[in-house]
Amino acid sequence: MIDRSALRRLFCPLLLFLLFFSQCAAHAGPPPEKWRILVDKTFMYMNEDQPLTEAQVGKTAEAGFNVIVPRRGGGDMEFLENCARWAQENDLSFMPWMRGTRPADGAPQMTWADGTVTPICSPTSDELWNWMTRRITGYARLSTRIDSVMGVFLDYEIYAHPKRGNGYSLSYDRSILDEFAAAHGVDIPALEPGQRRDWLIKEGLHEKFAAFQVERWRARCRALRRKVDDINPRFRFCVYPAPGTPFLRKAAYPEWATDAAPIILADHS
């Protein structure tokens, strides 16, 4: 039998342990106990048939964690339901993990200010938000069946290349430029990706373009929060990495945080 202190010595070198804090709706008050959240990146490589086992969930609780987030399996609802039940049986809370970005696969791509194009969906694309909405509302429905499900862990680190940061900064993809042009009655010529920001600045349009895009982000976040609230208004969004990108600070934080479900910020430092 391995004692508790031995388990801690075993887990610390192997497992990614992130400390979190909550804010945005600060008057909602602190949680009754500090969260000790394990985002697993070790157990998932030990198993051939699934990312996490019932025994591994039990070991996580024995090691002193009180929230578990399996790093894989976010698209497998049967696995997530099993994992949530194992968590509940071990007095743990549970969050599915998912990326906050998605491969473009034909959708408008993230286009950075310097013209670099990363093959993930633009932050205003229908493809990104339809996928996020399907996933996250599915997790919210799971939370109504199993009390251990407290929310979703959204990872905005970008692993596709080339890139210029995490998700998201302003995108200068042609799709959002065309939306802006139609809304403001301006003609934007055919420009190479690296020319678009400079052209907007030269024409005195960049501030309007930035505000237009941020409002698009906020509207998408707001719509998703409303759909989640219709299912479970206590369902929480946890976002990584904090303090965050322009998208997180200007759209996700104000729109996903509520009195009933303050946002959780995962501090990468």
Side-chain angles (χ1 to χ4, degrees), residues 99-169:
R99 291 203 185 285
T101 62
R102 179 175 173 80
D105 294 335
Q109 298 182 76
M110 176 65 202
T111 305
W112 304 86
D114 68 355
T116 299
V117 178
T118 301
I120 60 170
C121 289
S122 159
T124 57
S125 66
D126 290 340
E127 291 82 357
L128 173 68
W129 287 95
N130 291 341
W131 169 74
M132 285 180 60
T133 299
R134 286 194 302 272
R135 279 271 178 106
I136 293 171
T137 54
Y139 301 156
R141 284 189 288 272
L142 181 62
S143 75
T144 66
R145 302 195 301 274
I146 306 176
D147 291 340
S148 66
V149 182
M150 63 183 286
V152 59
F153 187 107
L154 277 160
D155 185 343
Y156 282 93
E157 187 172 357
I158 295 174
Y159 294 91
H161 292 280
K163 64 176 181 176
R164 292 294 181 266
N166 294 318
Y168 282 103
S169 293

Side-chain angles (χ1 to χ4, degrees), residues 191-203:
L191 299 165
E192 293 299 317
Q195 300 174 323
R196 294 168 185 172
R197 179 178 182 274
D198 289 345
W199 185 90
L200 290 166
I201 292 172
K202 180 181 176 182
E203 298 297 318

Side-chain angles (χ1 to χ4, degrees), residues 80-90 142 145-146 148:
L80 293 177
E81 183 154 350
N82 288 337
C83 196
R85 293 191 188 282
W86 299 334
Q88 187 153 305
E89 290 164 3
N90 284 277
L142 181 62
R145 302 195 301 274
I146 306 176
S148 66

Side-chain angles (χ1 to χ4, degrees), residues 227-239:
K227 287 180 180 292
V228 168
D229 283 346
D230 287 342
I231 301 166
N232 179 5
R234 299 187 67 82
F235 186 89
R236 304 179 73 158
F237 287 78
C238 176
V239 294

